[in-house]
Amino acid sequence: MILTGLLSFGAGLLTVLAPCVLPFLPIIVGGSLRGHRSRPYIVAASLIASLLAFTLLLKASTALIGIDPRWWSIISGVIVVLLGIAMLFPDLWTRVSLAIGFDQKSHNILDRAVSHEKRVTSAVLTGAALGPVFSSCSPTYAWVIATVLPASPVAGLIYLGLYCVGVGGALLAFSLLGRKLVDRVQWAANPRGWFQRSIAVLFIIIGLAVSTGVDKKFETWAVSWAPSFTEIENKLLPSDNDDSSADAAAPTQSSGAAAPDFQGIDTWINSDPLSIDELRGKVVLVDFWTYSCINCVRTQPYLNEWYNKYHDDGLVIVGVHAPEFTFEKDPKNVERAVEEAGIKYPVALDNDFATWNAYKNKYWPAKYLIDAQGNVQYTHFGEGEYEDTEKAIQQLLDVRQPVSTVDNGLAAGVGQSPETYLGTQRARNFQGDHPLRSGTGEYDAAGELDSDEWTLGGNWDVQDEKITADKSGATLTYVFDGAEMYLVMSGRTGATVHVSVEGEPDAFGDDVTDGRITLDGSRLYHLVHLPQPRTKTTVKLTFDEGVSAHAFTFGG
């Protein structure tokens, strides 16, 4: 934890030198040159507070999930423009108050009040306006938001706070250096001089660039020559072995500790609310899953078989559904997934990860086998070892039967492509004419791709956990290794996605009919089924407008 905290702080320092931040250094430095000497500290502190508040607001408020990220940039840009206008015309308030007919006494009082407060107010606004802009600049920030914060709020807040302090500290150093230089050149400190007015004009230009998205073009150009500080951060982040999704089985352990109770469950499917205490005397298998996770899909037939086989002997299975994507929080979507998977045992919707945290869980899927006294006697993370798990169930039930031989049709393979997220939070291996970035934009598909690489063509709206076709005809091309390809998608029922597999015109998955998928809900769709695993299979998808893609998963 200490090492990760230091890396988070260091990532904040590096973020200041990232191409997406460079255009805003004049705002931070220029906004600290005027007024009281405390101004640079106020700017830095308000930026830190803005980053924290903006992050937690988006994570905590489901009402804000559907807001286009571009609106935050527009709001930030407008604030910066207004600050620039106020700097360019320092007597503007006086003119406005006279024009609207305040009497002289009221005017003097208000004018003094504004003069007294404007150094603090504008300093706070300067820092606060850039919080949403800076929030998408660091892979460390994205890693904390996407993986650590949902699973461990306390650790997530610590890492996020250290990252924000690193950003604020680095910007404060720039501000103090600029302030020191201005103090030595007195003509630069004149609020009505050409230097301060030039800074004001720069505020207005940058604010307009942020509001219109022109700043992203600068970022694209800067990436071609600026040092790749974000790549340095990526190398410092925890490896895939620490990711919350288990692609391979982790070592099986047995703890013997008392099982935590189910917590924070608002909705139960197939059952009234349950507790560990009222299940004493039964053998309980708690399975953490989420319905779009391919690893969970491959495990599901075994769980159904065990429930049918051992329920009368005293086995209770409770599926704790902890959502990986926003649409998986919708009870109707989960109910549909439960019905389609043939799940008959109780399912608890752990939308706030309360039970997940109580078990200190880190994986999808994860199994915790609890004895009749309420103690955890066996755990297993990820796929596989089904025979060992069933033998542990038999031992606690004191029954003997031949172990199940379930053909789930989706056996995991070796050398297959890794799970690939498509939103900005965890996207990897994207190739294109410019970096993947938040907001709506046009992409030109890359000409050549290697294994596990992907590219976009046409108009896309890119968000933190998904990409959405902004116009019909937008394309996504992926080169994968393995035999099976799946994609989590959401969008309007009846919208279509055309699927093309290079060299295999008929190698379609179960959800493809006549070369296209017709959406019938937010779920995992089976795109490709090859006769046997192979490398570098190119798949091109063409989307109707409004269809969203979240993550690819693969099988052998």
Side-chain angles (χ1 to χ4, degrees), residues 252-260 280 359 368-379 396:
T252 302
Q253 305 172 8
S254 178
S255 65
R280 287 185 183 273
Y359 277 76
Y368 296 79
L369 189 60
I370 303 166
D371 64 20
Q373 288 72 47
N375 299 316
V376 177
Q377 295 296 343
Y378 175 94
T379 62
L396 293 181

Side-chain angles (χ1 to χ4, degrees), residues 30-31 34 82-90 191 196-197 199-200 203:
R34 305 169 63 245
L82 293 176
L83 290 171
I85 293 174
M87 290 176 62
L88 189 60
F89 304 104
Q196 292 282 352
R197 290 184 181 275
I199 293 293
F203 264 61

Side-chain angles (χ1 to χ4, degrees), residues 464-522:
D464 56 355
E465 67 169 31
K466 65 180 179 180
I467 59 174
T468 302
D470 194 48
K471 293 182 180 180
S472 294
T475 63
L476 190 165
T477 304
Y478 194 110
V479 176
F480 82 99
D481 296 343
E484 312 285 344
M485 171 185 271
Y486 304 84
L487 176 60
V488 179
M489 292 189 290
S490 59
R492 171 178 53 85
T493 299
T496 62
V497 177
H498 289 263
V499 183
S500 173
V501 185
E502 185 179 51
E504 296 283 352
D506 298 319
F508 296 129
D510 296 334
D511 292 306
V512 182
T513 302
D514 295 330
R516 70 178 183 179
I517 291 174
T518 301
L519 266 65
D520 57 8
S522 301

Side-chain angles (χ1 to χ4, degrees), residues 349-392:
L349 273 61
D350 189 22
N351 281 351
D352 295 323
F353 285 76
T355 302
W356 173 291
N357 290 334
Y359 277 76
K360 298 181 180 180
N361 186 51
K362 296 181 180 180
Y363 303 100
W364 291 286
K367 298 174 183 62
Y368 296 79
L369 189 60
I370 303 166
D371 64 20
Q373 288 72 47
N375 299 316
V376 177
Q377 295 296 343
Y378 175 94
T379 62
H380 180 73
F381 309 114
E383 299 181 68
E385 299 192 14
Y386 301 111
E387 183 175 340
D388 291 343
T389 303
E390 186 170 1
K391 287 181 177 179

